[in-house]
Amino acid sequence: MRRTKLTFLLPLLITGLGLKSFGQSTASITITNDSKDTISRHIYGQFAEHLGRGIYGGFWVDPSLPVKKQDRIRLDVVAALKKIKIPTLRWPGGCFADEYHWRDGIGDRSQRPKMINTNWGGVVEDNSFGTHEFLELCKLLECEPYVSGNVGSGTVQEMSNWVEYLNFDGQSPLTALRTKNGHPKPFNVRFWGVGNESWGCGGSMTAEHYSDEYRRYATFAKDYNNARLKKIACGPSDQDYNWTETCMKNIGNRMWGLSLHYYTIPTGNWGNKGAATGFGEKEYFNTMKNTLFMEELVTKHSAIMDKYDPNKKVALVVDEWGIWTNVEPGTNPGFLFQQNSLRDALIAGTNLNIFNNHCDRVKMAALAQCINVLQALIITDKEKMLLTPTYYVFDMYKVHQNAQYLPIKLNTPDYEFEGKKLPAVNVSASKDAAGKIHITLVNLDAKKDIQVNTELKGMNWKNVTGQILTSANVADINTFEKPNTLIIKGFNGAHNNEGKLALKVPAKSIVALELY
Ligand code: AHR
């Protein structure tokens, strides 16, 4: 929408008008205090699918593994995620959700049926991690569960029963079963996905067919006391604007949110996505171009939603995003395991800035995926645990959660590579409950530092402190042997220059500032 268009597209517009005087490396930012929008904490949500080592070997480990556990839940992982305040965890998929039958995952574990995980490597799913285990994990993480129901291969009754099992606080055969399984009280799950990628792995439906199915499934997914469902419809992939149009027309305010899935593919080619490590500047530049496409997607899908929902009651829920590369050589192609570099961190910082700047419509998001899968926050290997560069970005940005959004106008120089250009700087800002101002800046330019001059209109502040995440090379990674190549460091390069904020944002870095 208007302000975010300005944030990202102004440099391009100015270039187009022939007014560009930026051969320089100076950006200018104006931040105002005139928005009532809040940056929902749920923008910082995560996704955990039964895929590869995401659940099994990630959150849920073998009883013999020598790490601290509650039941089979790994507590070092829980502690790390609590530190960054993850607000929401989406489960059980993904494509897996539309093959998942919840009754297989309750009751005596030794009696639970085994099945094939057809989407992800054809491995055996033993159902040892099911509804109760997931909700116990969410309790430990102090986050809200977001459950994706099965539309593709399930039934209306199956979904309706699952909601009753989770949320009903009265007498029924399902609540008796829940009590028998150790949980007399309802779980009060609010976030409810009605299918996943129903245009693809979730059932290959047309938008018209899906929106009819949504209405049927949603009718029987009931609201119980203390758990009014926030139903999230399967939304478009990428630039499938027709899907958004059809769902808005046919479902409208019967949904709390409409999802959007978009992955950053370095090469733009699903057949050979590019490597997670060891890439050069050309591939880095293309990756960033592809990740910035999120701005256009959010803007255009939001514009369609505005037509049907001008008061912005329906949320855009970007519940799968992140970089998707080729798997690490020698690993199971169905497990989607990839390393995580400074490039991933720059992608995370950029996408989170985009979501913050669209917080009037984007009320929720989920990075794909939390542990050991795609753009993970955490990588584990048996008892070892490693925090990725992406993890540190979520740590730096957590200050924006539930803070007041501060609108921004940005003039940025371009990052130029082999005659192609993209906006070098992106930024978002918020004011927290204590009145502190937080600004997160990303400089995508691989080589140039950028001087940023910022005016904060109508805001009082005297002091500034900062943090930075960067490294010598955009392809640098953390490893079990060298876990601290990319960690958050103090940044003291920002100054109060007669009421204006002045700083130089180093090349290929993410900087978070606190003004007070
Ligand atoms: O995140 C991996 C997969 O990507 C999910 O299962 C699916 O929803 C998407 O296609």
Side-chain angles (χ1 to χ4, degrees), residues 375-420:
Q375 188 173 350
L377 299 175
I378 292 177
I379 292 174
T380 62
D381 180 14
K382 301 194 180 71
E383 71 277 12
K384 289 182 279 188
M385 179 184 86
L386 181 68
L387 305 178
T388 66
T390 301
Y391 173 92
Y392 290 112
V393 173
F394 275 78
D395 198 7
M396 292 165 81
Y397 277 57
K398 68 187 178 198
V399 288
H400 288 308
Q401 292 190 25
N402 281 351
Q404 182 202 337
Y405 170 68
L406 298 176
I408 287 179
K409 279 187 189 159
L410 164 71
N411 259 323
T412 169
D414 291 323
Y415 164 27
E416 301 193 15
F417 181 75
E418 292 183 346
K420 290 186 271 173

Side-chain angles (χ1 to χ4, degrees), residues 47 49 51 94-95 120 196-197 261 263 320 324 369 374:
F47 174 32
E49 180 167 10
L51 192 179
C95 295
W120 307 120
N196 168 74
E197 299 197 348
H261 290 183
Y263 285 97
E320 288 189 30
W324 190 328
Q369 299 194 7
L374 298 176

